[in-house]
Amino acid sequence: MSETVHRRVKCVYGPDGSPLTIANLPPVNTLRWVARRKAEVVAAVKGGLLSLEDACARYSLTLDEFMDWQCSVERHGLAGLRVTKIQDYRG
């Protein structure tokens, strides 16, 4: 009988290079999602601080919404997450 053990890291580096921990992620009740906060959540998932499922549950995100954030960061960096620039980067 084998069980998969998921190990979580305690710290990852955020979009600005500063350390991110569970304690300094955006608050659970965040209503205003600026680009930096979105990028922090994406970095937390990518680095293993949060699982994708945990991030979506914690922040009431849909899988599609998170995946849009992740694709925007990968393609355009932090600027791709700015709501005012969304039309410039979609295509």
Side-chain angles (χ1 to χ4, degrees):
M1 201 181 339
S2 67
E3 292 182 24
T4 303
V5 177
H6 296 284
R7 295 181 189 247
R8 292 218 178 129
V9 296
K10 293 183 180 184
C11 177
V12 298
Y13 291 97
D16 62 354
S18 64
L20 276 177
T21 63
I22 291 289
N24 62 5
L25 283 175
V28 174
N29 60 349
T30 298
L31 296 176
R32 187 166 182 264
W33 283 101
V34 296
R36 178 188 48 81
R37 290 184 187 136
K38 293 176 188 178
E40 288 173 344
V41 174
V42 170
V45 171
K46 185 175 181 181
L49 188 62
L50 284 176
S51 71
L52 175 57
E53 295 80 16
D54 290 344
C56 288
R58 179 181 175 114
Y59 296 111
S60 300
L61 302 172
T62 64
L63 180 59
D64 287 339
E65 188 172 19
F66 179 84
M67 296 308 290
D68 283 345
W69 292 0
Q70 185 174 2
C71 288
S72 292
V73 168
E74 289 171 0
R75 289 182 184 160
H76 308 289
L78 193 60
L81 292 171
R82 292 187 187 134
V83 173
T84 56
K85 294 291 186 183
I86 225 163
Q87 294 303 317
D88 294 342
Y89 294 117
R90 288 210 174 144

